């Protein structure tokens, strides 16, 4: 079986986890949490990062930090994971879904523009597959309408827009370290706070609304609950594991990019002959090979391809279903018609991509795809 995803373990993860066990420091905010944050800050020039137990919780923390509430509208792409919308819906915001581009799952700037009203408070950009959205256009739009930009950078560690790391454009950004992402600790995430004025409150929300951080720094002589918040920080066991992965980031990235490029090269000919779309990478984006996908001509061709690959013991999978027509959101989006998001929901297929795969595995997947496309 060629699995869709299998986390690659370097060995240092268990070494660091054992150290936290031996030291008896299991709760959050210990040395490994600090080291992970430092690593990300140094590598990407972030000034303020807070490790979280998922990207979902990072997004929830952002929604609290930006004071999102009833009456606020938040524009979210329809082609994304539920968490992107849920985090803001949980605060009482009205979710407004935007369409994807015709040729890329990333959100369409024109669709966002049409969705802006006087109540729009936030636009959430999702960089699908670690491929940057058009950040200049998005930032210009946000500036013109006085809207806050948030990056759901769940896919996007080590991805760039014109050489600048994703996660550094929004007022805040959220990354994921879920098992299916490039770097993992099982469940984990991080919030990047790019606006200095927001940092003191972020620190408080991160730690259940308390000012314990100030207390630890000796700035106050007792701490208390000063705001709302939650237990957003992960245990040191997770942070230790994560640090053991982060140290190998360069190796992860070069291996993934080599596999991604091999897929692209081997599938180019058949896809152009059969009008099947390969991932388009805009000039401004340098991506992290998070997802390799094809966009088929129809849902039936896509479902047939997935079934064919599974019959050959290859786990290919579809991806998101448009949120505007999901059970959770469709009743409030009855007249919404987002054709590009629907097309990616119905026609996109993701291929196996992880560090256990060898070149010959990629070649086998490609051969099976070529067989299927040429026979239909
Ligand atoms: C994976 C993912 C999330 C959620 O990440 P978790 O760490 O599992 O909470 C959010 N948004 C997008 C676009 C994702 O792909």
């Amino acid at each position: 079986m060629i699995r869709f995803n299998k986390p690659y373990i370097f060995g240092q993860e268990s070494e660091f986890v054992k150290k936290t066990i031996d030291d008896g420091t299991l709760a959050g905010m210990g040395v490994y949490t600090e080291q992970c944050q430092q690593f990300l800050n140094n590598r990407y020039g972030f000034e303020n990062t807070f490790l979280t137990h998922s990207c979902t919780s990072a997004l929830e923390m952002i929604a609290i930090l930006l004071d999102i509430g009833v009456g606020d509208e938040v524009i979210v792409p329809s082609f994304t994971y539920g968490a992107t919308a849920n985090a803001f819906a949980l605060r009482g915001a009205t979710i407004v879904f935007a369409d994807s581009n015709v040729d890329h799952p990333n959100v369409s700037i024109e669709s966002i523009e049409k969705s802006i009203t006087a109540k729009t408070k936030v636009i959430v950009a999702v960089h699908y597959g670690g491929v940057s959205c058009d950040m200049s256009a998005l930032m210009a739009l946000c500036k013109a309408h006085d809207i806050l930009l948030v990056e759901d950078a769940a896919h996007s560690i080590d991805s760039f827009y014109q050489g600048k790391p994703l996660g550094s454009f929004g007022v805040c950004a959220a990354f994921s370290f879920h098992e299916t992402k490039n770097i993992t600790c099982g469940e984990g995430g991080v919030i990047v706070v790019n606006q200095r004025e927001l940092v003191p409150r972020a620190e408080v929300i991160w730690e259940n609304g308390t000012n314990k951080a100030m207390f630890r720094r000796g700035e106050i002589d007792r701490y208390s609950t000063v705001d709302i918040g939650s237990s957003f920080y992960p245990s040191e066991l997770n942070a230790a594991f994560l640090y053991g992965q982060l140290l190998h980031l360069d190796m992860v990235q070069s291996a993934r990019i080599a596999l991604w490029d091999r897929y692209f090269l081997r599938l180019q000919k058949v896809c152009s002959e059969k009008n099947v779309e390969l991932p388009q990478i805009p000039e401004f984006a340098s991506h992290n090979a998070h997802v390799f996908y094809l966009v088929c001509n129809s849902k039936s061709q896509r479902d047939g391809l997935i079934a064919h690959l599974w019959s050959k013991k290859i786990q290919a999978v579809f991806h998101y279903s448009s949120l505007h027509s999901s059970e959770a959101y469709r009743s409030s989006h009855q007249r919404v018609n987002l054709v590009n998001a629907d097309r990616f929901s119905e026609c996109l297929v993701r291929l196996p991509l992880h560090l256990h795969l060898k070149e010959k595995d990629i070649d086998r997947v490609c051969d099976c795809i070529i067989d299927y496309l040429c026979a239909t």
Side-chain angles (χ1 to χ4, degrees), residues 96-134:
V96 179
F97 290 110
D99 206 357
S100 296
N101 290 305
V102 178
D103 58 353
H104 196 281
N106 277 350
V107 71
S108 142
I109 306 294
E110 296 79 60
S111 176
I112 288 184
E113 220 164 353
K114 277 190 243 161
S115 312
I116 292 174
T117 72
K119 292 181 182 167
T120 307
K121 185 143 178 197
V122 172
I123 292 171
V124 189
V126 178
H127 310 290
Y128 184 78
V131 177
S132 176
C133 294
D134 185 343

Side-chain angles (χ1 to χ4, degrees), residues 29 50 61 65 198-210 213-214 217 219:
M29 302 194 187
F50 299 88
M61 191 171 145
L65 184 59
L198 292 173
V199 172
R201 191 156 171 254
E203 209 172 61
V204 164
I205 294 166
W206 193 47
E207 215 173 342
N208 258 314
T210 65
M214 290 177 78
R217 287 194 297 266
E219 294 164 17

Side-chain angles (χ1 to χ4, degrees), residues 242-373:
L242 182 63
Y243 192 59
Q245 287 254 311
L246 283 173
L247 293 183
H248 301 275
L249 181 56
D250 285 325
M251 191 268 191
V252 170
Q253 285 314 117
S254 60
R256 290 188 78 97
I257 288 166
L259 297 169
W260 196 100
D261 287 347
R262 191 169 183 89
Y263 268 135
F264 198 94
L265 205 68
R266 299 263 350 237
L267 292 171
Q268 218 164 12
K269 185 162 169 284
V270 73
C271 286
S272 92
E273 280 167 15
K274 298 290 172 182
N275 260 327
V276 167
E277 292 162 38
L278 286 169
Q280 308 253 343
I281 310 298
E283 197 81 28
F284 55 64
S286 111
H287 72 104
N288 63 354
H290 176 56
V291 175
F292 193 92
Y293 64 86
L294 303 176
V295 188
C296 292
N297 296 311
S298 64
K299 182 171 189 302
S300 63
Q301 187 191 39
R302 191 273 307 264
D303 293 347
L305 176 58
I306 291 177
H308 176 73
L309 292 173
W310 278 74
S311 78
K312 303 290 178 190
K313 299 201 169 353
I314 297 165
Q315 289 183 335
V317 295
F318 51 83
H319 212 178
Y320 309 122
S321 295
S322 295
L323 287 176
H324 71 279
S325 37
S326 67
E327 204 174 322
Y329 288 101
R330 70 179 167 225
S331 61
S332 45
H333 294 82
Q334 304 245 333
R335 279 186 302 275
V336 177
N337 187 20
L338 305 174
V339 291
N340 298 331
D342 285 345
R343 192 173 72 91
F344 291 115
S345 305
E346 292 178 357
C347 303
L348 185 144
V349 50
R350 291 179 292 160
L351 305 181
L353 183 54
H354 54 80
L355 268 62
H356 295 276
L357 295 178
K358 306 274 185 287
E359 285 187 349
K360 69 169 180 19
D361 298 318
I362 301 294
D363 292 349
R364 191 161 89 75
V365 176
C366 292
D367 289 343
C368 291
I369 293 170
I370 293 166
D371 286 347
Y372 175 82
L373 291 178

Side-chain angles (χ1 to χ4, degrees), residues 52-59 77 79-85 125-129 152-156 174-181 186-190 290-291 319-320 350:
T52 55
H53 36 76
S54 64
C55 177
T56 301
S57 59
L59 289 164
F79 189 74
T80 184
Y81 187 54
T84 317
V126 178
H127 310 290
Y128 184 78
D152 178 341
H155 298 185
S156 309
F175 288 88
S176 175
F177 302 117
H178 183 264
E179 180 183 291
T180 51
K181 309 301 203 280
E187 303 281 353
V190 68
H290 176 56
V291 175
H319 212 178
Y320 309 122
R350 291 179 292 160

